[in-house]
Amino acid sequence: MPPPPVVTSLDEVSTGYTVFESDQVLTHTQLNSVAQYADDQIRLSRARLSGVGVACGLRASFTGGAVRVTGGVGITTDGDLLYLDGDTVYDRFQVYDQTYPAYPPLYRGGDVNAAMFPAYELVPQGTEGEPGRPLSQFAAVAGRQPGQMTAVLLMESYRQGDDLCSGTDCDNLGARAVNTRKLLLVGPDTVAALRGGASTPAQAYGGLPEMAAERPVLAAGLATTDALTAAYRTACNAIHARLVDALPRIYPVAGGVLGDVVSEASGASWTARLTAYRTAFSGGATGIQYYYDFLKDVVEAYNEFRERLFGDQTWCSPPITSFPKHLLLGDLAAAGASDVNRTGFYPSPVTSRTAGELEHARFLVQRLDALINHFQVSTASTLAVRVTPSFREDRPLEDRAIPFYYAAGGADPLHMRWSWRLSRRGAQAQAYGYHAAAWAAAGSPAANPLAFQIGRFDFFRVEGVVGKPVATALEAVQEQIDARNLPFAVRAVLLGTDRTRVIPRRRGTTDLHHLHTLIRRDTDERLQEAEAFTLHYSGQILHAADEGELFHAQEEEARVQVRGATASKTTELRSHAATARTRVSGGYAQYSLNPAALQQGMSSAIQAAADLSFQAAPVATTGFFNPLDNLAAGTQTTWLPWLDEIIGWKEEKKDERLLWSRFAADHPQTEHFGGVPRGGTLVLLHDAANTVVAEVMLPYHLEEEPVEEDEPVLTTPPVRPPVVRTPPVRTVPTPKRTFEREWVFRKPELDVVFEARNDLDRWVETETEHLRSQVEWQNEFIQQGQLSLQNEVLGTVGRTYDTLINNQWSTMASATERYTAPRTGDLAGTVGLTPERATTTFQDRMLGVMVEEARVREEKVTVLTELAAASPQDRAVTTQLEAAQAELGKTLEETAGYLAQSGAEVTLGSEAYVAVAQMSKGMATLSGSTVLAPTLINIDSALSNAPNVSVEVAVKAAMPKLR
């Protein structure tokens, strides 16, 4: 008799049962329907609402020559509950062959009439009668060690018919349902037939590859829009290839768990659209960055969908045939630690901790489809520039704002599929995005996001800039930054190498411009001073020329020449000065229009000033460093071209930093993300035609020099005295005037000297003749032998001659002493005249007292100086010396002040002349002391107001080396 088949209860699920009535005669069908219905419901509750597979425990291992299975519980797909209350040890085995109830999975092809896979039943330790053989003989029978086998827990369910009828009674007629739990060991071939096929999201996750988007490298060598496009196209083509390979796998791998949200045609539809997009951007189309962003979005959407499948072992309504009566417990060789060849637990979606993940995955597949179907790039210049708060790419795609390159509306709007969180709340209209005004309520945060708090957002999408003139785009973005206090900056960079194509930056005033302003202001002041001074100066030159101040053989001709040259050079200087002032009186912008004009005007004005000074030299001098000298000697104006070069050089360097090659080298952190992070810098890349072709960002704020539009207004500092003094020009003794003045006083004196010299010459001549006769007489006398008389005569003559000579020389020295004072040098050094002799003849007694006091104090300083030099360590002497020097200096200052106010003329032999000589000697004594400098300053101050300039001239001429 063949073995009974193993019964699977849920092959046919009972849908009803008999309801009993009073006094009803029950049949076996009615009674069995109740049991069958209840059993099916219990099994369905286990398998459909709880889950199937090994729930816990039931780990099999082979150790110490025995098989150990830990306690645990599991449910088959037929709803059988298989469990062990605790660890069970199996030490014997017996062959499980065709004599046992026929379980189709143990037969090849599932046909119980075919050959059976080898299987071995294990007998628990301590079983009565110790059936079977010890496990030590297992290898000899099975050809494998127990550790090479896989444990299977089987529920042997079959019907056993008992034939207990007698000839007159069959009350015990009926079959008995037998459900016996058995542990089998099977080999690899059998495991393959018993493994079954579970269909879970986690299994679909393993069948779908993970994707990553290639990243274009924006190298510093990119110099053209085509090169930029090529870099993005390379990355886009690689991503496209990955997508068209992975997306068609979704339905075959995960279609069973996703249901109707994806179909067999989905993969082909997605591939066709992606291919069309790639074709559209195969040329040099502007906006390829957004095509790259779209592909990156698709990759992220795919990965997010795939991630939702991970770990989700839920199995909704598992087929009964998967593992209806058995559970694989794993390979014994793994010592119970491996899940290889082990039936996992597949919970019902109702009870799983991953409940809802599958629905989330279904939503993400729909979003993936919507992304691909709604992609639409626009780089029209009329597209509005908008800033939308968003998040960085470390946040899920649904947390970010919807980019502008997805069209709004349509049969299945993207915003309805964008966010799982908002979708579950029915709040899809709250999604932020470029087109949010099309679906969000007016006045809501989504429709006007910058009007509400943006603190939680760390990224801002800036869209609508590509395709616009860069100046327009910059202005539009900056306007929103300023109006909305947005926390990022915007810059423009040329994608090229021609620095002249860099858009004009806001060129304000720097410190160099302020220095430039200072020099131009100084130049303007010097030109004004020169103009004012020249007008007065030329008038006095002409007056001096007309007053006969010229000392020239052809005086009239020289006068005409001076007048003509003075008038022409004055007009020329004032004209060039006025022209130059027009170039410096305005701002730097006005100056920079024609900087050469200033240099030309200044050069001409300086030349005219030099010519005018040269022409005025015969008749006048200013006695101080006048504005014409200042104009000619000043060098600041010549600095302006150098400053222009430095400013230009710095501007060129700044412009070079706005070339992509330099910018990328300085800032390798540049990357394109469709916007800019909080605190970062948005960089607009434009071509030589000043059209924005791309945008990148820096993750930090790119500091820009503050731009000051205005220049400081400088006023004339009241430091120098007025340009025009009273009188502004002092006529000095010209050669003619000097000769005439001196000749009047010197001629009588010189006549006396010349007469005395003539008298001396005549006397010498007479005496010489007399001596010659005497010599001749002496010779004759010697010849006569009267030498003694000759000697006496010669002595007498010699004495007489010496007396006469001395008297004549004294007369000459006295005249020379009175009338030939030196022009410069130490006046006290004049031959035959000393201050000591002069003090007794002063008619101005006060002046005499001052001179005597100066002489005494000068001698005191001299003595103390010698004592201090002999005893340098004697502090008392040094203190006395310093006090004496201060007293001498004070006396000299008072003497100078007295002379300045007295109006005395300093002429040779005069009292003022002697006083100046003593002052010179006193100042020489103070040489090297700390008193000298302040004494000179005070004497200068006292002499500056002298009504008679001869005192000032004499004192300054007497002490050239001390000043």
Side-chain angles (χ1 to χ4, degrees), residues 434-696:
Y434 180 89
H435 301 291
W439 62 73
S444 67
N448 189 15
L450 297 181
F452 296 85
Q453 279 294 330
I454 58 174
R456 65 189 180 96
F457 299 101
D458 60 6
F459 191 84
F460 297 88
R461 293 199 64 86
V462 182
E463 296 161 318
V465 293
V466 174
K468 284 185 171 56
V470 63
T472 302
L474 268 176
E475 181 181 359
V477 176
Q478 189 63 51
E479 181 180 346
Q480 296 200 44
I481 292 174
D482 296 339
R484 299 291 189 174
N485 307 115
L486 301 181
F488 63 88
V490 61
R491 300 287 183 270
V493 173
L494 173 64
L495 190 64
T497 57
D498 185 1
R499 187 181 59 80
T500 62
R501 305 306 299 173
V502 172
I503 65 168
R505 294 177 291 101
R506 295 177 61 195
R507 303 183 186 274
T509 56
T510 64
D511 289 342
L512 285 177
H513 290 86
H514 296 332
L515 178 59
H516 202 286
T517 300
L518 177 64
I519 294 176
R520 286 186 281 111
R521 186 68 178 89
D522 176 74
T523 301
D524 186 52
E525 284 293 319
R526 288 191 290 120
L527 288 170
Q528 289 186 63
E529 291 175 356
E531 285 188 75
F533 179 81
T534 300
L535 185 63
H536 193 79
Y537 186 44
S538 61
Q540 292 207 3
I541 293 173
L542 296 176
H543 177 74
D546 292 341
E547 289 296 317
E549 293 291 336
L550 292 172
F551 182 61
H552 198 277
Q554 291 80 28
E555 182 173 343
E556 182 61 25
E557 180 181 346
R559 185 181 67 81
V560 173
Q561 180 181 355
V562 169
R563 287 187 58 87
T566 299
S568 64
K569 293 303 177 182
T570 299
T571 302
E572 184 178 342
L573 188 149
R574 290 172 58 83
S575 174
H576 291 306
T579 301
R581 284 189 60 208
T582 61
R583 308 311 307 170
V584 297
S585 57
Y588 180 80
Q590 178 182 351
Y591 160 83
S592 60
L593 296 176
N594 188 7
L598 172 62
Q599 298 302 323
Q600 182 179 357
M602 283 295 297
S603 177
S604 300
I606 291 172
Q607 184 63 51
D611 293 343
L612 179 59
S613 297
F614 176 77
Q615 295 296 335
V619 296
T621 181
T622 59
F624 57 92
F625 198 65
N626 65 63
L628 297 185
D629 300 328
N630 188 22
L631 184 66
T635 60
Q636 293 90 333
T637 306
T638 60
W639 296 355
L640 292 180
W642 292 340
L643 274 177
D644 292 338
E645 290 183 16
I646 295 174
I647 292 173
W649 177 81
K650 290 180 70 68
E651 293 294 341
E652 288 179 4
K653 290 301 180 183
K654 290 179 182 179
D655 288 343
E656 286 178 3
R657 295 190 184 99
L658 297 180
L659 298 178
W660 172 253
S661 57
R662 173 67 182 275
F663 187 86
D666 291 343
H667 307 283
Q669 302 85 356
T670 52
E671 184 120 20
H672 166 74
F673 287 119
V676 57
R678 178 182 291 273
T681 304
L682 180 71
V683 181
L684 305 181
L685 300 183
H686 64 94
D687 57 14
N690 284 339
T691 300
V692 179
V693 297
E695 45 87 7
V696 294

Side-chain angles (χ1 to χ4, degrees), residues 605-858:
I606 291 172
Q607 184 63 51
D611 293 343
L612 179 59
S613 297
F614 176 77
Q615 295 296 335
V619 296
T621 181
T622 59
F624 57 92
F625 198 65
N626 65 63
L628 297 185
D629 300 328
N630 188 22
L631 184 66
T635 60
Q636 293 90 333
T637 306
T638 60
W639 296 355
L640 292 180
W642 292 340
L643 274 177
D644 292 338
E645 290 183 16
I646 295 174
I647 292 173
W649 177 81
K650 290 180 70 68
E651 293 294 341
E652 288 179 4
K653 290 301 180 183
K654 290 179 182 179
D655 288 343
E656 286 178 3
R657 295 190 184 99
L658 297 180
L659 298 178
W660 172 253
S661 57
R662 173 67 182 275
F663 187 86
D666 291 343
H667 307 283
Q669 302 85 356
T670 52
E671 184 120 20
H672 166 74
F673 287 119
V676 57
R678 178 182 291 273
T681 304
L682 180 71
V683 181
L684 305 181
L685 300 183
H686 64 94
D687 57 14
N690 284 339
T691 300
V692 179
V693 297
E695 45 87 7
V696 294
M697 69 88 196
L698 289 173
Y700 49 82
H701 181 74
L702 185 58
E703 189 68 28
E704 188 176 35
E705 292 184 11
V707 175
E708 298 176 1
E709 301 291 348
D710 300 328
E711 296 181 29
V713 178
L714 303 180
T715 58
T716 303
V719 176
R720 293 184 292 180
V723 174
V724 179
R725 297 179 61 181
T726 305
V729 178
R730 182 175 65 238
T731 302
V732 300
T734 64
K736 176 183 178 182
R737 178 66 67 108
T738 302
F739 178 80
E740 290 177 347
R741 182 193 303 172
E742 294 296 325
W743 183 253
V744 170
F745 295 100
R746 295 296 179 90
K747 187 175 185 303
E749 299 171 353
L750 291 177
D751 289 343
V752 174
V753 174
F754 292 153
E755 185 63 31
R757 185 172 294 173
N758 292 333
D759 292 344
L760 179 61
D761 290 341
R762 289 191 296 272
W763 181 85
V764 170
E765 183 178 357
T766 302
E767 291 299 320
T768 300
E769 290 296 328
H770 175 73
L771 288 174
R772 185 179 300 113
S773 65
Q774 290 294 326
V775 170
E776 291 176 354
W777 175 82
Q778 182 182 18
N779 289 336
E780 183 180 355
F781 188 79
I782 291 173
Q783 293 175 1
Q784 297 175 3
Q786 296 182 3
L787 181 60
S788 60
L789 179 61
Q790 178 185 7
N791 290 337
E792 182 179 354
V793 172
L794 288 175
T796 301
V797 172
R799 287 190 296 273
T800 302
Y801 183 84
D802 290 340
T803 301
L804 291 174
I805 292 299
N806 288 336
N807 290 336
Q808 293 300 320
W809 277 112
S810 297
T811 302
M812 282 185 60
S814 176
T816 304
E817 177 184 280
R818 292 177 57 197
Y819 303 118
T820 57
R823 285 303 188 187
T824 60
D826 188 356
L827 295 183
T830 305
V831 177
L833 180 63
T834 61
E836 292 87 341
R837 292 172 52 195
T839 55
T840 59
T841 60
F842 278 100
Q843 294 182 0
D844 187 338
R845 296 178 61 189
M846 187 62 191
L847 181 61
V849 171
M850 288 184 173
V851 171
E852 180 63 20
E853 182 181 2
R855 183 187 64 78
V856 172
R857 294 190 184 281
E858 177 262 321

Side-chain angles (χ1 to χ4, degrees), residues 932 935-937 939-940 943 955-963:
L932 178 61
T935 301
L936 287 173
I937 293 174
I939 289 176
D940 281 344
L943 296 176
V955 173
K956 294 182 178 179
M959 297 175 286
K961 295 183 179 179
L962 299 177
R963 301 189 61 80

Side-chain angles (χ1 to χ4, degrees), residues 12-24:
E12 294 184 10
V13 177
S14 176
T15 59
Y17 56 88
T18 300
V19 178
F20 303 138
E21 296 183 2
S22 178
D23 299 328
Q24 177 180 347

